[in-house]
Amino acid sequence: MNKPEFLESGAPAAEVEPRLLVQRGVFVGMSPIVNDDLYVAFRKGSGDRERHTLRLDAGARAHTNTYFGRFAASYWQRWTTVTEVRVSLRAAGSGRFRVRLVASDIAGHRRIVGAVAGSGDETVELSSPLDKFVDGGALWVEIDALDAPLTVDRLEWTAAAPETVRPVAIAICTFNRADDCAKTVAALASDDRVLEVIDAVYVVDQGTDLVRDRELYGEVAPRFGDKLHYLRQPNLGGAGGFTRGLYEVSATDGHADVILMDDDILCEPETVLRLNAFANVTVEPTLVGAQMLFLLNPDYLNVGAEDVDLGTLQHGQRVPKALRNTSMLKKNQERRVDAGYNAWWTCLIPAEVVAKVGLPIPIFFQWDDVEYGVRAREAGFVTVTLPNAAVWHADFYWKDFDDWARYFSTRNSLIVGALHSDLDTKRLGRQFFRQISEYLVGMQYGLAATTLRGIEDFLEGPKVLQDGGIEAMAAIRAERADYPETVKHDAATAPVRSADLTTRRSGGEPSAMRLILVKRAIDQWFGRTQHGLVNVPREDAHWWHISLFDHVVVTDASQSGVRIRQRDKGKAIALLRRTVRVLRRLREDGAAVSRQYRDAAPQLTSRANWERLYEQ
């Protein structure tokens, strides 16, 4: 067990109340692509910023009412044993200064909790009870350099420490993203205080382009000492990579929590400290997730908190009142929003959860984090997505929906629905038929086939999970190769004549979608479409617009190339017949197959099964 972090670590233990460091003042991001106003902002005047040091010019005012600067008081009051929080900082200068501790409520109204005026070099401490934040609100500091330059450092938020502070292990899963993974490991190694709370780091490499061969990885590895563990294994997807971390930690230390962390993130080390501190003082063991900011638009939040609708097999659903796709330079999440699960771009799993509910299910990719969050909640463990703790991850809307991953999303959503709900196969049959019909009229035959294969393999029962997904990934990629529109081409060299292209923009969304779908299907069937090549930008690539034509060049969502769709009545007929057969099977056999998955779940999630998969 680690000793609690003390505010004044050099003072004798008998003379200081044990305080847990829960958040630090961070004033500069880890990358130049990040706007430092996410950490601290100047309301008046200017100054200079370093990672943990802030300098204000004479007359300047700075505040931490920013994404990373705020203390999420509502979440700490609702979910932890903490009843009071203190903030301290060291001020140095030759003039007068003022420090305010400020709070907000659910509506964002500002109120001053405490204030200190001083001069010269002083250590300032202010505190606030956590008693007015149940539904929302946060705390932050405002600093004024009244008549001379001022330097501020050692800004620390602390709370009463528990008897013991549990360490945290980190598991990073990677597959042929060696450069990205090495940068993530280096980010963790860059922060001494974070290294103190880390018990172990597991880099689970499932690829052929190895992380350990990167110069950067070799440079930073010694900083971890014997805490860094590099593991090789077959490519078992995110589920297999992350589970390996849980598998290893739960075998060696029954008291260490585990943070699952993507390899391709821009890592903010402070997030590790905040997740770990929060988890150490929750009333009950709690999954604590970081939020996701967009990597290509770094001040934008993906979503404040997510949930899943198992009735419609829709994950990533925005919790009501949560911010989504919002610039965190312009708005703060004042209202507390409670998550149903947290994705595994960065998420802390308590040791008690692993001990009680077991390991994840080997579904390779997609929905593994959803399933584990749902299973944990069924066992009595909630998930908290903690504001002001985040990493940057690739923007989802830059990924094209027509991808091999759609197979796993379809198959695994059905598996998760079968494990944790009573699948309404009639309703789902109608839902899938509508989706696939839209794909067909939009000339996305490969996407339709990919979705159908996901349903078919679900209906095969638990045996499809016996190899951890390796064969399924190879099979779906091979099957998609039969559909030319799944191939991305360079826009300048695509196999079409640029001179033949005319751009056709959408005229707006129709009001009667079902009727339009029927009309478009009939027109496609009889060839009553506009002939010749047309070009459609990504923003207009809706099925109801694409289906007006029979040969379309569509910009890929990644903006790195184009896809070429062409009407093929023969493929459409074959896929429609296949759809009818598959959905009839889903209605007739869905309940029995669901029982098979529920019966097999204990074996699928067992240590013995995962050990078998790792030794393939």
Side-chain angles (χ1 to χ4, degrees), residues 2 95 116 163 184 199 204 236 270 319 413 562:
N2 288 357
V116 172
E163 291 185 6
T184 298
D199 186 59
V204 184
L236 299 169
E270 175 71 12
V319 171
S413 67
V562 296

Side-chain angles (χ1 to χ4, degrees), residues 116-162:
V116 172
S119 61
D121 298 349
E122 291 189 32
T123 295
V124 174
E125 182 175 280
L126 293 164
S127 65
S128 173
L130 297 183
D131 60 355
K132 293 181 174 63
F133 301 97
V134 171
D135 285 339
L139 289 162
W140 64 89
V141 295
E142 296 178 351
I143 306 165
D144 289 279
L146 297 174
D147 51 21
L150 182 71
T151 297
V152 173
D153 64 4
R154 293 187 64 181
L155 196 165
E156 298 180 335
W157 299 79
T158 65

Side-chain angles (χ1 to χ4, degrees), residues 449-488:
T450 302
T451 303
L452 288 168
R453 180 62 65 196
I455 303 171
E456 290 165 342
D457 282 4
F458 162 75
L459 291 169
E460 291 299 305
K463 64 184 179 182
V464 300
L465 304 180
Q466 286 304 303
D467 73 336
I470 297 174
E471 291 183 7
M473 180 180 66
I476 194 60
R477 284 181 162 177
E479 184 171 338
R480 284 175 57 83
D482 293 334
Y483 298 91
E485 80 281 355
T486 66
V487 178
K488 182 174 64 177

